[in-house]
Amino acid sequence: MSNFNDSKSNITQTILLADRDLKTFLSVSSCVIFLYVNGVMIFTLRKKTVFQEASRYILFGHMLWVDTLNLVMSVVLFVLAFCRVFVMKIFCLILLVAATAIYQVSILNLALMSLERYVAICIPLRHAEITTYGRTNMAIGVVWMLSWIKSLSEIIIFCSIDTNTAMHLFCSKTTLFRLPVYKQLDIGFTCVFFVSVCFVIIFSYASIAAVAKTASSDKMSAKKANKTVLLHLIQLGLCAASILVGVIQEVIYVYTDYMTSINVMYFCFVALMIFPKCLSPLIYGLRDQAFSTLFKYYFTFGLKKQNRCNTEMHLEREK
């Protein structure tokens, strides 16, 4: 009877490990596919001068880079958590603060993209003057500086007053940042960032909607810009939803068994982390006719030559 029970336990353990490995493989392989798509998009942006000089495409390229980095960091942290790997404390600290900063950049970049569309539609005569190449890159630099404030605060607190002496630990915010001050810091910065970005996006949306109703000409561009800003608002909502991943992880580790925690973690990662980061750039890029046709040309390894010719003619007219 003892041998039978041991055999049954070994079989169950093998099934659990196989299920975990399968989910890990599917998650990582799907991320690799979307990373390839993002890579082709970034390559496409590098092929035309207009894509490198226009503020709209500069911000879109920045979004691609940030979402790509965000996706890579999310995959690394997910695999470590999913496989319950213990890592060095300093390595975990670097991963978490970098992931936090990149996440904040992705949120603030949505505000920049919305403001660019606001200027293009509501102040068209000054669009070229306001959204120059230098000012756009300066705005991106400011976004990165603001995004590192929270991460630097966490590093300072960790190095000065944190008493976590473990050299190796399970890498998550719950295990590394255990003091109450971290949670207060996280709530404060999250509220400030989300409220600010939400205000900017809603303001841009309302302003562009007003122009679309009152303008006698170019209503099509205004309506298209409004849909773009609405897409940013949806992206912000998806970013807000991804915050729930950490909360859900804390709950399932305490109140559920191992198999249930794996299934819940897998669903949250796919629905709240992979899906938003991969779908948003794809939708945004394919909505732009000039970019999408050239992207399809490179994505299909040059099979759609006619589309590329039409795109180049369209870009020449835009210049």
Side-chain angles (χ1 to χ4, degrees):
M1 181 65 69
S2 177
N3 292 334
F4 175 77
N5 290 334
D6 291 341
S7 177
K8 185 177 180 180
S9 177
N10 291 334
I11 293 174
T12 303
Q13 187 68 20
T14 303
I15 293 174
L16 291 175
L17 291 174
D19 182 74
R20 186 193 67 182
D21 293 340
L22 177 61
K23 285 183 169 64
T24 303
F25 172 76
L26 292 176
S27 301
V28 174
S29 59
S30 61
C31 288
V32 169
I33 294 173
F34 284 114
L35 286 174
Y36 168 72
V37 174
N38 281 7
V40 175
M41 285 188 170
I42 293 171
F43 177 79
T44 303
L45 289 172
R46 301 291 299 175
K47 298 303 292 183
K48 290 296 175 182
T49 305
V50 65
F51 291 154
Q52 301 177 40
E53 294 178 348
S55 59
R56 178 183 179 182
Y57 295 111
I58 293 173
L59 294 174
F60 174 53
H62 181 242
M63 182 181 74
L64 287 174
W65 277 109
V66 171
D67 282 347
T68 299
L69 290 173
N70 211 333
L71 188 59
V72 171
M73 296 298 296
S74 299
V75 171
V76 172
L77 291 171
F78 170 77
V79 171
L80 291 176
F82 201 67
C83 299
R84 296 180 179 270
V85 177
F86 281 72
V87 299
M88 293 183 61
K89 180 173 65 176
I90 185 64
F91 180 66
C92 180
L93 177 64
I94 293 172
L95 283 177
L96 290 177
V97 297
T100 299
I102 295 171
Y103 176 75
Q104 303 284 4
V105 171
S106 65
I107 295 173
L108 292 178
N109 193 66
L110 295 176
L112 279 184
M113 297 179 78
S114 298
L115 286 175
E116 188 278 330
R117 287 293 83 197
Y118 163 77
V119 174
I121 301 301
C122 300
I123 323 175
L125 298 180
R126 298 192 59 196
H127 179 257
E129 175 188 350
I130 296 174
T131 59
T132 61
Y133 177 84
R135 288 182 176 178
T136 303
N137 285 287
M138 187 182 300
I140 291 174
V142 171
V143 162
W144 276 95
M145 287 190 293
L146 291 175
S147 300
W148 272 99
I149 294 176
K150 179 187 175 184
S151 296
L152 292 176
S153 301
E154 290 175 337
I155 293 175
I156 293 172
I157 295 173
F158 188 85
C159 294
S160 58
I161 65 174
D162 201 313
T163 58
N164 192 343
T165 58
M167 293 301 297
H168 294 78
L169 43 74
F170 178 72
C171 191
S172 71
K173 286 188 175 182
T174 306
T175 56
L176 187 66
F177 300 141
R178 299 181 301 177
L179 298 178
V181 65
Y182 290 118
K183 191 170 186 179
Q184 296 170 3
L185 191 71
D186 186 55
I187 293 174
F189 272 94
T190 299
C191 291
V192 170
F193 274 92
F194 272 96
V195 170
S196 301
V197 174
C198 189
F199 173 78
V200 170
I201 294 177
I202 292 176
F203 169 77
S204 302
Y205 182 84
S207 301
I208 295 173
V211 171
K213 290 182 179 180
T214 59
S216 58
S217 60
D218 207 17
K219 285 188 177 182
M220 187 63 66
S221 297
K223 290 181 179 180
K224 186 176 180 180
N226 223 17
K227 290 180 180 179
T228 301
V229 175
L230 183 61
L231 175 61
H232 295 332
L233 189 60
I234 295 173
Q235 287 177 280
L236 183 65
L238 293 173
C239 288
S242 64
I243 297 176
L244 298 175
V245 174
V247 178
I248 294 172
Q249 285 181 357
E250 292 182 21
V251 174
I252 62 175
Y253 286 145
V254 176
Y255 297 105
T256 62
D257 58 273
Y258 178 64
M259 192 64 190
T260 303
S261 66
I262 285 182
N263 292 330
V264 173
M265 280 182 61
Y266 180 73
F267 173 79
C268 290
F269 181 68
V270 172
L272 301 179
M273 300 299 291
I274 294 182
F275 182 72
K277 293 295 181 296
C278 300
L279 189 62
S280 297
L282 191 62
I283 293 177
Y284 189 86
L286 294 180
R287 289 184 69 250
D288 187 285
Q289 183 180 359
F291 175 82
S292 63
T293 48
L294 195 60
F295 163 72
K296 291 174 184 177
Y297 169 79
Y298 289 116
F299 189 78
T300 57
F301 302 99
L303 296 178
K304 295 187 177 183
K305 295 183 179 180
Q306 185 63 38
N307 281 347
R308 185 190 181 191
C309 294
N310 293 337
T311 302
E312 291 179 345
M313 292 174 61
H314 179 73
L315 291 175
E316 288 298 325
R317 288 196 299 269
E318 283 192 349
K319 290 182 181 180

